Amino acid sequence: MNERTKLVDTKTAVLRGKRKDNNEWVYGHYYNITEKVNAKQTKRHFITSNIDGVDYEIYNKTIGIPSGIFDRYSKEFYKGDLVFNNYTFETGVVNVIDNEFVIVYEFTTPLLRIEAYSYADLDVVDTIFDRPGWSYKGVIKPLNDPANRLIQPS
């Protein structure tokens, strides 16, 4: 189980990112291009879809790295996912720290490695990019906002 929590090779792994043209998620192989525009270098980020083979430009900050670990509904954990803990009834954020996938909680233990849980304890419920007020550090909106304190699976 330890091996599966290590970071994957991003050149061969199926990453995800949010498309710039329509804000939909795309899964596939990532690459970037550095262009020179008006004497300034800019980097553009793309994912080649594993569904239709089309190259889609994505937002850099939304690039999700797969963990190789799945919840009880066979949904894979990606960096940036919000997960609901069915044991503690808390929502946490999947992040990568020291080359290991961890869950950052707001109210209890600051970090817990994903491998510390049984897969039935955690469900992927959303991403920090689709839920305003969340970051890789947890909740950033006021904690008295009930909409952000607890996100349960639907």
Side-chain angles (χ1 to χ4, degrees):
M1 191 150 115
N2 234 353
E3 294 293 318
R4 296 193 309 182
T5 60
K6 301 292 182 196
L7 284 177
V8 297
D9 178 3
T10 56
K11 292 181 181 178
T12 59
V14 174
L15 275 63
R16 75 169 180 204
K18 213 161 199 195
R19 291 172 45 180
K20 281 190 168 184
D21 63 344
N22 65 5
N23 279 337
E24 294 289 322
W25 288 101
V26 61
Y27 294 78
H29 296 286
Y30 167 81
Y31 68 96
N32 62 61
I33 297 173
T34 302
E35 298 177 327
K36 198 171 195 174
V37 179
N38 296 331
K40 182 181 176 186
Q41 285 193 340
T42 59
K43 191 179 275 192
R44 296 175 60 199
H45 304 271
F46 296 87
I47 287 185
T48 303
S49 171
N50 59 0
I51 302 290
D52 58 15
V54 175
D55 294 341
Y56 294 102
E57 188 169 7
I58 60 168
Y59 294 105
N60 178 32
K61 68 178 184 173
T62 66
I63 296 169
I65 302 168
S67 68
I69 300 173
F70 298 81
D71 71 6
R72 62 185 167 164
Y73 301 109
S74 300
K75 189 163 184 174
E76 187 168 17
F77 295 107
Y78 277 79
K79 179 180 177 186
D81 276 343
L82 292 174
V83 294
F84 181 75
N85 186 320
N86 294 299
Y87 182 73
T88 64
F89 301 105
E90 291 182 280
T91 302
V93 179
V94 176
N95 200 352
V96 177
I97 297 175
D98 294 332
N99 289 332
E100 290 195 278
F101 283 88
V102 297
I103 299 173
V104 180
Y105 287 106
E106 188 67 27
F107 303 110
T108 59
T109 309
L111 319 167
L112 290 171
R113 290 187 345 215
I114 287 180
E115 67 184 26
Y117 297 95
S118 82
Y119 302 135
D121 289 343
L122 300 171
D123 292 324
V124 176
V125 292
D126 213 338
T127 74
I128 61 172
F129 310 109
D130 293 328
R131 182 69 64 149
W134 283 82
S135 77
Y136 286 116
K137 296 178 183 176
V139 179
I140 57 174
K141 266 194 172 180
L143 297 179
N144 60 359
D145 181 354
N148 274 328
R149 288 191 72 163
L150 186 65
I151 302 171
Q152 296 185 0
S154 48

